[in-house]
Amino acid sequence: MMEPFSDQIVMFMLAASMMEEESADEHQDPGQQMSALGEPVLRVSFPRPRQYRTRRELEDLCEFEVIQNYRLSTRNIYSLYALLEADLEPRARSNRAISGFQKLLGTLHFLASGTFQPTLSQTCGFSQSTLSRCITQVIRAFRKLTIQYITFPETDSECREIKLGFFNKYKFPNVLGTIDCTHVQIRPPRNSEECFRNRKQFHSLNVQAVCDVNMRFLNIFVGFPGSSHDSFILSQSSLFDKFETGNMPGGWLLGDAGYPNKPWLLTPLSNPVGRAEKRYQERHIASRQIIERAFGVLKSRFRCLDTSGGALLYSPSKVCDMVNACCILHNICVANRLPVTLRRSAFLRGNRSSALPVGMGEGEDSRRTLIQNFFAVACEYTDNICIIV
C-alpha cells in the first residue's frame, strides 16, 4: 500500500505543470490562436489598401495662379513639356504612374518657391521621395536645352542688335554684354568644406554669367566653389579662350574691378580725371549694372537660388543642374515678358569681387582710345559706327 503524497510533493508537481504550460505558450506560433476546443486557429492579415493623393492639375488654376506658382504661363509650360516629353514620360504602364507633365509641374513649383520637399510634396500630390526623384530627372533633362536657350551672339545681325540695345539705353558703344559672378548658397561636401567658403563667410557656388541689355543670359559658367575668384573663373571658361583667340565677334564685354583689363573686356577706371574719363566711368557703371539686376530678377523668380531661403541641401553637381535650369527658365520668361515681383533681399549688396589693380593690363590701349575718340566729344552711333559730330 502506497503512502499518501506529502504537501511538499504536491506543491512541487503543481509548479512543474505551470512551467510546462508557460513554455508551450512561448513556443506557440504567433500567427496562431487557440480556439475554445484547444485547436490552433490561423490568423490571416490582409494588406492595407493604397491611398492615392489628389494631384494638382494645371486646368484647376487661373492664369495668375499658374504664373505665381510656376513662373511660366500655361502656353509656355505646354511648349516646354513638348521639348522634354521624351525624357520625362514614365516607362511603366501603370495607370497611377506619375506623368512627365506632373513631374515638370512639381519641379517648376520647387524651383519657383524654394520650399522644402516634404511641404511641397503635399501640394503636388506625391511623396517626398518621389518628388526628389522627379526633380533630379527634370533638371537633368534641361541640359539638352542649354544650347537652345543660352547662346552667345554669333551672326552680325545678332551682334548689331545687342550693341544698339546698349547704346540706345546707356550711350555706350560696341558692347556685346556685361559679365559678373554671383553666389548660390549650398551645403558643402564634408571632404572639401573649406573650398566652398567664400569671402562673405558662407558656403556657395560661384556662378559666372553674361547678359544683354534685356537681362537675357548669353553665357553661364557653373561649377566653381565659392572661394574661387571671378577673374580665375573667367580664365578657365571657354568664353575666355574664344575671345583670346579672336573667334568672337568684334566688340567688348563690361566687367567690374575684379576682372583684368583686356582688349575685349573693359573695366572701370581707378581714378577718373577729366570730363571724358568721368563720362566713361558713369556710363560704364550704368551699363554694367544690368548684370546685377539680372541676378536679382533670377533669384526673385526662382527662390531656391536666393539666400533668404537658406542653403540648398544638395550636392554641388545637382545644384549646378538647378542653376542651369533656372537660367533657361529665366530666358523663357524674358522672351515672353512675364512679370516678376522684385524683392530687396534678392539683390546681393556688396557683391563686388576683391578689386584687382585697375588701369593695368592688355586692354589699357583699347580703353584709352575709346575714351579719347568717343567720350571726349559728342558722338552719334549709327549701324555700329561711331560718327563724330
Side-chain angles (χ1 to χ4, degrees):
M1 184 176 180
M2 297 181 62
E3 297 181 358
F5 292 106
S6 63
D7 295 340
Q8 295 181 353
I9 297 176
V10 173
M11 294 297 295
F12 175 78
M13 294 178 64
L14 290 175
S17 176
M18 293 176 63
M19 292 178 63
E20 290 180 358
E21 292 178 359
E22 292 179 357
S23 177
D25 292 340
E26 291 178 357
H27 293 84
Q28 183 181 356
D29 187 357
Q32 294 181 346
Q33 292 180 348
M34 302 302 293
S35 65
L37 300 178
E39 298 178 354
V41 177
L42 181 63
R43 184 177 59 185
V44 180
S45 58
F46 294 94
R48 185 177 59 180
R50 297 186 63 181
Q51 296 180 355
Y52 296 100
R53 305 179 185 179
T54 302
R55 297 170 185 170
R56 174 177 290 187
E57 298 294 339
L58 197 62
E59 291 75 12
D60 298 336
L61 305 175
C62 66
E63 192 65 17
F64 174 80
E65 293 175 327
V66 170
I67 297 177
Q68 185 179 28
N69 292 330
Y70 307 113
R71 300 301 189 259
L72 300 179
S73 65
T74 303
R75 180 177 60 85
N76 296 141
I77 293 176
Y78 279 111
S79 300
L80 181 62
Y81 175 67
L83 299 175
L84 302 175
E85 182 178 4
D87 299 311
L88 301 184
E89 277 302 314
R91 298 179 180 179
R93 296 183 179 181
S94 172
N95 59 351
R96 293 299 303 180
I98 300 177
S99 65
F101 193 74
Q102 291 290 339
K103 296 176 183 178
L104 178 60
L105 290 181
T107 303
L108 291 178
H109 199 179
F110 167 75
L111 297 176
S113 63
T115 308
F116 286 107
Q117 291 184 13
T119 303
L120 187 61
S121 63
Q122 299 178 5
T123 305
C124 297
F126 33 87
S127 65
Q128 180 272 327
S129 58
T130 301
L131 176 62
S132 179
R133 292 192 296 268
C134 292
I135 292 174
T136 302
Q137 182 181 3
V138 174
I139 61 177
R140 286 179 179 175
F142 268 96
R143 295 175 183 175
K144 69 177 185 180
L145 302 181
T146 305
I147 193 173
Q148 179 178 348
Y149 286 98
I150 304 178
T151 57
F152 205 87
E154 296 180 355
T155 64
D156 292 339
S157 59
E158 293 175 343
C159 294
R160 184 181 298 110
E161 182 180 357
I162 292 178
K163 292 177 181 179
L164 286 175
F166 274 101
F167 185 83
N168 292 334
K169 192 170 185 177
Y170 300 109
K171 305 304 178 185
F172 204 112
N174 219 28
V175 178
L176 290 172
T178 59
I179 184 172
D180 202 359
C181 291
T182 187
H183 291 279
V184 176
Q185 189 174 0
I186 66 170
R187 182 180 62 182
R190 293 183 179 180
N191 57 352
S192 56
E193 180 271 340
E194 68 282 356
C195 296
F196 290 86
R197 184 178 294 277
N198 58 33
R199 61 186 180 83
K200 298 180 181 181
Q201 301 305 311
F202 66 87
H203 302 95
S204 66
L205 288 178
N206 202 2
V207 180
Q208 174 184 284
V210 179
C211 78
D212 63 7
V213 71
N214 297 317
M215 295 186 289
R216 178 174 63 94
F217 291 115
L218 307 176
N219 180 272
I220 61 171
F221 193 35
V222 190
F224 280 82
S227 61
S228 302
H229 195 277
D230 294 0
S231 60
F232 174 76
I233 297 176
L234 174 62
S235 66
Q236 302 301 310
S237 64
S238 60
L239 191 68
F240 181 88
D241 296 334
K242 291 180 180 179
F243 271 107
E244 286 289 295
T245 55
N247 294 327
M248 297 298 284
W252 40 64
L253 301 176
L254 301 182
D256 61 15
Y259 292 101
N261 201 32
K262 295 280 186 179
W264 48 269
L265 176 58
L266 299 182
T267 58
L269 296 166
S270 58
N271 186 23
V273 178
R275 183 180 178 183
E277 291 188 358
K278 291 181 179 179
R279 184 182 301 172
Y280 165 86
Q281 193 82 338
E282 292 173 358
R283 296 184 184 178
H284 184 283
I285 293 174
S287 302
R288 196 194 61 80
Q289 284 181 348
I290 193 68
I291 183 64
E292 296 182 359
R293 292 180 57 197
F295 287 144
V297 171
L298 173 68
K299 294 182 178 182
S300 293
R301 276 197 171 108
F302 304 102
R303 303 290 174 81
C304 65
L305 305 181
D306 192 12
T307 55
S308 63
L312 288 171
L313 308 179
Y314 307 97
S315 65
S317 60
K318 190 170 183 177
V319 174
C320 290
D321 288 334
M322 289 182 183
V323 173
N324 181 67
C326 290
C327 290
I328 292 174
L329 295 171
H330 169 84
N331 281 359
I332 295 176
C333 294
V334 171
N336 292 274
R337 299 182 179 182
L338 296 177
V340 59
T341 302
L342 297 181
R343 297 182 302 120
R344 291 183 180 272
S345 61
F347 292 90
L348 299 181
R349 300 189 178 189
N351 192 28
R352 300 290 188 274
S353 303
S354 54
L356 297 175
V358 293
M360 306 293 291
E362 305 171 5
E364 178 61 22
D365 293 339
S366 300
R367 184 171 63 182
R368 182 57 52 188
T369 301
L370 174 65
I371 293 174
Q372 293 176 355
N373 295 341
F374 184 84
F375 291 99
V377 293
C379 301
E380 182 180 352
Y381 193 79
T382 305
D383 197 21
N384 288 344
I385 301 176
C386 180
I387 302 176
I388 300 178
V389 295

